[in-house]
Amino acid sequence: DYYSKTFAGEECSFNMYINEQHQLYRTIPLFDENGNISRILSVVENITERVTVEEEKKRNEQQKRAILKTAIDGFWVNDMNGRFLEVNDAYCKMSGYSEEELLKMSIADIEHIESNVDINARISRIIENGSDRFETQHINKSGEIFDVAVSIQYNQSIHKDHIYSFIHDISSRKKAEVEARLTEKRLDAQVQLNEMTEATLEEIYAYTLDKSVEITSSKIGFLGFVSEDELTVSIYNWSGAAKKE
């Protein structure tokens, strides 16, 4: 009982909800000339508005975190050194790491392209500019590389030591782009071959080999024939790169 504590010499404060109002009570012991507690001063403050604002803020924060937790895109919060402070389920699934594992890691542990120096420089630019958007590659728990688009926000008024990032897996898009470029190169090569009506067989072989090496990103190429018993291969021609070797 707060009043009993106050009569024992302790100043107390407590909240009560009365008549649809949040009230803050403070009880203060008052002493007589002999040092004995003679009375208690009670101060009551209506804090309904303050409590309502705080509760609304708490609800909004809970809703925001629930949305981020279940978002399709990855989301994380990191500190000024790149250490993870918060990650959502989507990025855990994307990276193959559990939330517990990621919270012991930093950006450098999953970043494939940028070095520690690059990461620190980027963080400095984000603090200065307030945001950033870029594409990079991350490494999942199995060691596989996947492409991501990253959108970062920093607002000192929200939290001066936190950086907020959304991570979108663009591996499928990147794969489609590569396939599109390969298809375009193949079509260009076919058109060029169709126009080589006066070329010799050697020139056609050389062009075909060199284009095949270019399209497949190979180092060298050769044209050969396999014997009927499939035991030997006869090399007929080498690509230009192979001849230089």
Side-chain angles (χ1 to χ4, degrees), residues 9-243:
E10 182 180 343
E11 184 175 326
C12 299
S13 62
F14 54 93
N15 295 343
M16 294 187 70
Y17 187 69
I18 302 175
N19 296 328
E20 298 184 350
Q21 291 184 348
H22 293 276
Q23 298 177 347
L24 173 63
Y25 284 78
R26 287 186 295 164
T27 56
I28 305 168
L30 300 178
F31 299 88
D32 59 21
E33 63 277 5
N34 297 318
N36 298 316
I37 298 174
S38 59
R39 291 174 295 169
I40 290 178
L41 173 65
S42 295
V43 179
V44 182
E45 179 184 358
N46 186 343
I47 59 170
T48 303
E49 183 177 353
R50 188 175 78 193
V51 171
T52 301
V53 170
E54 290 175 351
E55 289 178 346
E56 182 66 21
K57 183 178 179 181
K58 184 177 180 180
R59 279 195 298 270
N60 290 339
E61 183 68 18
Q62 290 173 338
Q63 290 175 352
K64 183 191 75 173
R65 291 194 175 279
I67 292 170
L68 293 175
K69 195 72 175 175
T70 58
I72 296 175
D73 284 340
F75 171 79
W76 71 47
V77 180
N78 62 271
D79 64 15
M80 300 296 103
N81 296 312
R83 289 189 295 266
F84 296 124
L85 304 175
E86 182 180 340
V87 294
N88 71 347
D89 293 341
Y91 192 75
C92 291
K93 184 177 180 180
M94 199 182 298
S95 66
Y97 289 101
S98 67
E99 180 180 6
E100 182 180 0
E101 289 173 321
L102 285 169
L103 294 182
K104 296 177 182 177
M105 300 165 64
S106 68
I107 297 174
D109 295 314
I110 52 89
E111 172 63 39
H112 176 63
I113 295 177
E114 295 188 339
S115 66
N116 278 328
V117 173
D118 296 329
I119 293 170
N120 290 333
R122 185 179 293 279
I123 289 175
S124 297
R125 290 197 300 272
I126 291 166
I127 293 172
E128 181 179 352
N129 300 325
S131 64
D132 196 9
R133 291 176 181 269
F134 60 96
E135 294 181 2
T136 186
Q137 292 179 324
H138 289 176
I139 308 172
N140 66 20
K141 189 174 181 179
S142 300
E144 299 171 339
I145 297 169
F146 60 101
D147 296 285
V148 293
V150 184
S151 176
I152 300 179
Q153 294 291 325
Y154 172 73
N155 190 329
Q156 189 174 7
S157 64
I158 297 175
H159 201 300
K160 67 182 182 66
D161 296 322
H162 289 180
I163 296 175
Y164 304 87
S165 303
F166 284 92
I167 303 92
H168 182 60
D169 189 336
I170 57 172
S171 299
S172 298
R173 192 194 83 193
K174 286 292 186 180
K175 183 178 180 181
E177 290 174 354
V178 171
E179 290 295 332
R181 287 195 294 269
L182 287 175
T183 298
E184 184 178 0
K185 287 182 179 180
R186 292 190 190 103
L187 290 174
D188 289 343
Q190 290 175 359
V191 170
Q192 185 63 30
L193 279 172
N194 290 335
E195 294 176 351
M196 295 175 66
T197 54
E198 298 181 3
T200 64
L201 193 58
E202 290 292 334
E203 290 173 335
I204 293 174
Y205 283 157
Y207 176 80
T208 303
L209 278 171
D210 289 340
K211 270 297 176 183
S212 298
V213 169
E214 177 188 339
I215 291 172
T216 60
S217 300
S218 302
K219 290 186 177 181
I220 62 172
F222 65 86
L223 175 64
F225 301 94
V226 181
S227 62
E228 291 185 5
D229 58 10
E230 298 184 352
L231 295 177
T232 59
V233 177
S234 300
I235 304 300
Y236 183 78
N237 201 357
W238 291 91
S239 64
K243 290 176 180 177

